[in-house]
Amino acid sequence: MPTVTSADGTQIAYSRTGSGPALVLVDGALCYRTSTPNDDLAKALSDRFTVYTFDRRGRGESGDTGPYEVEREIEDIAALAKEAGGEISVYGISSGAALVLEAVHRGVPVKKLAVYEPPFVVDSTRKRVPAGYQAKLEAAIAAGKPGGAIKTFMVEGVGLPALMVLMMRLMPAWPRMKRVAHTLAYDAQVMDDNQAGRPLPDGRWSGITAPALILDGGKSPAWMRNGVAAAAAQLPHAAYRTLPGQTHLVKTAALAPVLAEFFATT
């Protein structure tokens, strides 16, 4: 298992496949290698790129040196970029999309970046994420209740009905999610105050100068698409594109050709 050493000494596990320019894929909440749609995406892109997938800190085979700060995850991506030869292209989905935006804004050097549906809540088209959301996640983990943290995330963070979450406990994926439930509080910190039902502040990612592709799905809810459009409007060199028929659970067959075209274009 290859690893890179982040700035604070944490070992970050990664996989590499394919050949060509370096492309790093960043997971969203509860995902890690062997339990992520990014594994299929890496395979689909490996004929044109050297694709790196990795376990975000606290997940899979990566370490989890505390205390957590968003800057530590940015350093993880920077360490992986150095391993990949320096300047990379990068793609992130969901909270991983928000992390990518923050990493590039804070100076991780990239040729291009693409993000799919960072879950920003910027208006009243859905209930805002409660102010005490992160603290509630941390309290559930501290009490030894990872299932409770997942329920809080699914109901208050994602907006799913509680009954649906109750049924999810019977699914094979539930034990895998429980193993990384403590990182939900990390994702809450990554999202910052951008799920509070208010417009994104002007200049929020003013440090991003690289070409960017901001994506959403045509069947995603209005609140999600409104947040994605608002993020695209904040970036001076961003193209905004909707994938017809797609939701937050975007299909690799719809996404991979779009990413391949964007990252391959000089």
Side-chain angles (χ1 to χ4, degrees):
M1 176 197 67
T3 63
V4 293
T5 303
S6 195
D8 69 347
T10 302
Q11 296 298 301
I12 302 299
Y14 72 92
S15 298
R16 178 177 56 218
T17 186
S19 60
L23 172 60
V24 174
L25 309 183
V26 183
D27 280 321
L30 298 174
C31 293
Y32 51 97
R33 291 176 310 153
T34 75
S35 184
T36 170
N38 275 347
D39 286 344
D40 287 339
L41 184 61
K43 294 175 184 176
L45 295 170
S46 62
D47 62 333
R48 303 181 70 172
F49 305 94
T50 301
V51 187
Y52 292 78
T53 56
F54 69 104
D55 294 332
R56 287 174 58 186
R57 64 172 52 209
R59 312 181 190 193
E61 297 178 285
S62 287
D64 192 20
T65 308
Y68 178 82
E69 296 288 344
V70 176
E71 186 64 29
R72 303 291 79 78
E73 287 214 80
I74 293 172
E75 291 167 352
D76 298 344
I77 296 174
L80 196 58
K82 183 178 179 181
E83 177 71 14
E87 195 173 53
I88 59 171
S89 291
V90 63
Y91 161 78
I93 184 170
S94 197
S95 64
L99 179 59
V100 164
L101 291 172
E102 195 64 22
V104 180
H105 169 63
R106 296 197 198 182
V108 173
V110 303
K111 297 177 182 177
K112 291 184 176 183
L113 66 147
V115 297
Y116 187 85
E117 293 198 342
F120 301 135
V121 183
V122 299
D123 55 28
S124 61
T125 48
R126 69 152 276 184
K127 185 183 295 185
R128 59 161 289 171
V129 175
Y133 170 67
Q134 182 178 333
K136 192 172 180 179
L137 292 170
E138 292 170 346
I141 295 302
K145 297 179 179 179
I150 296 172
K151 179 181 178 181
T152 296
F153 165 68
M154 293 293 183
V155 175
E156 297 184 7
V158 179
L160 296 179
L163 180 60
M164 183 181 296
V165 179
L166 182 63
M167 295 173 62
M168 290 175 63
R169 294 174 180 266
L170 304 176
M171 298 172 59
W174 189 259
R176 294 197 298 271
M177 292 192 292
K178 286 176 66 175
R179 286 196 288 270
V180 294
H182 62 287
T183 64
L184 290 170
Y186 303 172
D187 280 304
Q189 194 168 329
V190 168
M191 295 309 302
D192 194 23
D193 197 32
N194 296 320
Q195 294 183 305
R198 296 189 295 269
L200 298 172
D202 290 339
R204 176 62 182 81
W205 298 287
S206 58
I208 298 178
T209 58
L213 177 63
I214 316 298
L215 298 161
D216 62 16
K219 286 190 174 181
S220 290
W223 72 266
M224 179 76 77
R225 299 192 63 202
N226 291 349
V228 173
Q234 289 286 327
L235 304 180
H237 306 290
Y240 171 38
R241 181 168 174 179
T242 297
L243 302 185
Q246 297 303 302
T247 67
H248 199 59
L249 302 176
V250 60
K251 291 181 170 60
T252 295
L255 177 62
V258 175
L259 293 181
E261 179 184 12
F262 172 68
F263 288 125
T265 305
T266 58

